[in-house]
Amino acid sequence: MAFPEGFLWGGATAANQCEGAWDVDGRGPAKTDVTTGGTVDTPRMITYRMPDGTEGAMPQWGAKLPEGAKYAVLDNYLYPNHDGIDFYHHYKEDIALFAEMGFKQFRMSISWSRIFPKGIEDEPNQAGLDFYRSVFEELKKYDIEPLVTMWHFDTPLYIEEELGDWKNRETIALFDKYARTILTEYKGLVKNWLTFNEINNTVSFLGMMVPASDEEFQDAYQHLHNQFVASAHAVKMAHEIDPEYRVGCMICGVVDYPLTPDPDDILANRYMWEKSLFYCGDVQCKGKYGTYAKRLWDEHNVHLDITEQDLIDLAEGPVDFYTFSYYQSSCVTTHQGAETTAGNMTIGAKNPYLEASDWGWQIDPKGLRYILEVMYDRYEKPMMIVENGLGAFDELVEGEDGQLTVHDPYRIDYLREHIKEMEIAIEHGVDLIGYTTWGCIDLVSAGTGEMRKRYGFIYVDKNDDGTGSYARYKKDSFDWYKKVIATNGADLD
Ligand code: BG6
């Protein structure tokens, strides 16, 4: 049996994509609340208002807010994250379904602006604290361990707009306050934490879709540095507050391969791994920047504000375990004219050996084994895959028992093949301790804002136009995953 006893099977979500209740019980807005829906071909838009009242919208990636503009929720636009799947009011029902599947672990995030609506308040919002306490208590009833992400792309909008977001060092202290609050509040209810979701996206994705200036790279690397320091503080704080706490990093695990054996492609691929994967993982796991960091900064004339104390803090706050998301792989080449392919926060050269999902993400189970083995060898820390899954179109139909359901063999196939590779990696010595599939219940897509890009074992009746009853239905994959968990991964049929 490859999977160790106590293996943490489960599923993952993020507050902004599932909770809804965006302005309920004192919650403040985040960027996701001024982001509209999109599709695979049309980008999500961010809406704003000019001082003279003129309204506008700009694409989510690569555009800058016009001088003087303020983010704004406008009439005539649809903001899918406002309602999410209304987990805020359905969490008891949802957790009962997770328990029925046998979840050992549920990954979720805390919305920072539910706790500190603007991020700058001295006192936390009690209603926000109470909500997460109720969720954790509900999980405890079923012996499901929460795995809690502190930040899942949702800085309070006030910090983003008025303070300059993460490129301002002041944000570190505001995050420290938030982290201390939740680490203190939920002692005894939570054991495992993650600091920043897919922290590496800030730099690895920059310049891929739309060219980026040196100034943007400067801001992005500074943003990351400040998050590294905040993450190290959170790790130290967690260990002081409760020695039982374990804190992990969370990296967007896009695997790249060289497209050709041309030595230039081999080198370009290595440099891609350094930039997009090792840069963040090294700082968070080893407590210091890798040797190649200076080369990456020099490429864009970046000069970082790094204090002596920052270096001490980084060295004192390495994470306890390594986690990552994994959906797909792509290729790197220096050759002109190669066909490109989209992916999770990435764009790369198309791999002729792989099939792709309906959203063009190349499906590559062996890539999961590859990254597990490389990263375990590099850091020798326990690992978790905290996102993996297939975003697909699902059709709600009447099942044999007369209940509405979804027949989703494509999802089962995808997950089965990835779990098989996890098993091999464990046999090869990787200390893999957990697996939470992404969007275990359907939720709003981060990339496109769609509902119809569904990942869940549980179908949620909500449509892209905002209509729907929010009723939950079990898909075929629900029973399949239940069996996988019950047999600790031995029965994947
Ligand atoms: C990761 C994020 O990038 O991938 C999630 O951590 C996101 O928030 C997931 O939802 C899948 O991406 P998408 O665009 O299909 O929602």
Side-chain angles (χ1 to χ4, degrees):
M1 282 266 283
F3 289 96
E5 210 182 312
F7 188 78
L8 294 165
W9 297 98
T13 59
N16 75 83
Q17 292 170 255
C18 74
E19 278 177 11
W22 74 289
D23 59 354
V24 168
D25 290 340
R27 182 182 177 276
K31 183 91 148 280
T32 40
D33 298 310
V34 290
T35 308
T36 69
T39 67
V40 70
D41 303 314
T42 49
R44 303 186 74 177
M45 305 295 274
I46 294 177
T47 53
Y48 58 83
R49 189 174 284 116
M50 299 300 291
D52 66 0
T54 325
E55 297 178 342
M58 63 183 187
Q60 185 182 18
W61 308 116
K64 263 206 171 126
L65 203 60
E67 196 67 36
K70 294 278 182 210
Y71 295 116
V73 173
L74 305 177
D75 294 340
N76 304 323
Y77 285 94
L78 206 64
Y79 300 93
N81 300 67
H82 282 189
D83 299 316
I85 53 157
D86 199 24
F87 178 78
Y88 196 78
H89 298 108
H90 286 76
Y91 68 90
K92 289 193 178 170
E93 176 187 352
D94 295 342
I95 290 171
L97 287 165
F98 301 153
E100 192 182 330
M101 271 188 279
F103 277 22
K104 312 288 179 215
Q105 170 164 267
F106 174 53
R107 178 178 175 224
M108 53 178 278
S109 73
I110 292 183
S111 160
W112 184 353
S113 61
R114 229 181 249 298
I115 308 299
F116 290 100
K118 286 183 168 174
I120 56 164
E121 297 83 352
D122 289 332
E123 294 303 322
N125 171 30
Q126 191 57 45
L129 290 176
D130 292 347
F131 169 66
Y132 293 108
R133 174 169 291 278
S134 311
V135 174
F136 296 144
E137 281 169 351
E138 197 65 20
L139 288 167
K140 210 180 173 77
K141 254 173 52 184
Y142 298 101
D143 280 333
I144 300 175
E145 281 293 339
L147 170 63
V148 184
T149 318
M150 297 181 174
W151 179 94
H152 197 117
F153 307 147
D154 53 359
T155 307
L157 200 57
Y158 181 88
I159 296 182
E160 184 135 355
E161 192 160 61
E162 303 297 330
L163 303 183
D165 199 16
W166 278 98
K167 66 174 189 276
N168 181 352
R169 288 190 72 91
E170 284 176 41
T171 303
I172 301 174
L174 297 173
F175 188 83
D176 287 353
K177 179 181 57 178
Y178 160 62
R180 183 173 293 286
T181 304
I182 55 178
L183 287 166
T184 308
E185 179 77 21
Y186 302 123
K187 187 173 167 174
L189 282 171
V190 176
K191 272 192 211 135
N192 296 323
W193 299 86
L194 302 176
T195 51
F196 292 93
N197 182 66
E198 292 191 341
I199 189 168
N200 50 329
N201 285 348
T202 301
V203 161
S204 59
F205 184 52
L206 191 64
M208 272 188 189
M209 311 265 273
V210 234
S213 64
D214 282 358
E215 196 191 337
E216 284 167 286
F217 275 99
Q218 167 73 36
D219 287 351
Y221 277 112
Q222 189 64 54
H223 166 131
L224 266 190
H225 174 73
N226 294 344
Q227 287 195 331
F228 292 152
V229 174
S231 174
H233 288 174
V235 175
K236 252 184 103 174
M237 251 185 254
H239 293 160
E240 282 161 14
I241 292 170
D242 185 348
E244 297 278 296
Y245 275 153
R246 291 289 170 269
V247 187
C249 61
M250 196 311 199
I251 306 287
C252 178
V254 173
V255 166
D256 281 300
Y257 304 117
L259 184 66
T260 77
D262 179 344
D264 279 335
D265 277 9
I266 306 293
L267 273 172
N269 186 60
R270 175 170 175 83
Y271 292 163
M272 178 66 95
W273 276 70
E274 287 177 346
K275 177 180 160 188
S276 63
L277 291 170
F278 298 153
Y279 183 82
C280 294
D282 284 359
V283 179
Q284 292 192 284
C285 291
K286 298 179 177 183
K288 60 179 187 181
Y289 282 100
T291 45
Y292 51 84
K294 184 170 178 314
R295 175 174 52 72
L296 290 173
W297 298 332
D298 288 349
E299 274 170 17
H300 297 286
N301 207 16
V302 166
H303 299 279
L304 292 185
D305 172 17
I306 302 180
T307 66
E308 285 298 315
Q309 186 59 45
D310 288 350
L311 296 177
I312 296 170
D313 289 348
L314 293 181
E316 290 180 348
V319 292
D320 302 306
F321 59 100
Y322 181 95
T323 83
F324 64 103
S325 58
Y326 181 79
Y327 296 91
Q328 44 92 206
S329 66
S330 63
C331 292
V332 170
T333 185
T334 55
H335 296 228
Q336 295 300 314
E339 200 181 337
T340 58
T341 179
N344 183 23
M345 304 289 176
T346 185
I347 199 160
K350 198 173 161 105
N351 187 330
Y353 296 96
L354 300 177
E355 301 284 318
S357 77
D358 290 331
W359 274 260
W361 297 16
Q362 298 186 133
I363 299 169
D364 179 16
K366 288 197 172 72
L368 178 57
R369 187 201 323 173
Y370 191 69
I371 186 171
L372 276 168
E373 294 183 359
V374 170
M375 294 306 176
Y376 186 64
D377 207 36
R378 193 172 182 97
Y379 303 125
E380 294 184 340
K381 293 194 188 253
M383 300 181 77
M384 287 191 211
I385 300 152
V386 295
E387 287 185 28
N388 174 236
L390 180 71
F393 297 108
D394 284 341
E395 197 192 345
L396 198 59
V397 295
E398 194 172 301
E400 280 166 19
D401 56 2
Q403 302 287 322
L404 290 175
T405 186
V406 172
H407 300 307
D408 55 350
Y410 37 89
R411 182 166 293 108
I412 294 173
D413 285 348
Y414 178 100
L415 294 172
R416 179 192 295 118
E417 294 312 309
H418 284 77
I419 293 172
K420 280 184 189 164
E421 295 299 330
M422 285 158 47
E423 205 170 346
I424 298 173
I426 293 173
E427 278 161 7
H428 289 180
V430 173
D431 184 13
L432 182 65
I433 58 171
Y435 176 62
T436 54
T437 65
W438 177 248
C440 45
I441 178 163
D442 293 347
L443 38 64
V444 175
S445 156
T448 65
E450 290 166 297
M451 265 312 296
R452 63 183 188 152
K453 187 180 189 189
R454 294 174 184 273
Y455 287 89
F457 303 115
I458 301 162
Y459 183 96
V460 179
D461 177 28
K462 187 194 171 191
N463 307 308
D464 285 339
D465 61 6
T467 60
S469 64
Y470 290 85
R472 274 64 170 151
Y473 301 99
K474 298 175 199 171
K475 305 181 191 177
D476 285 352
S477 54
F478 183 102
D479 289 324
W480 174 81
Y481 197 46
K482 184 176 172 179
K483 187 179 58 181
V484 170
I485 298 177
T487 60
N488 201 20
D491 187 351
L492 299 177
D493 292 337

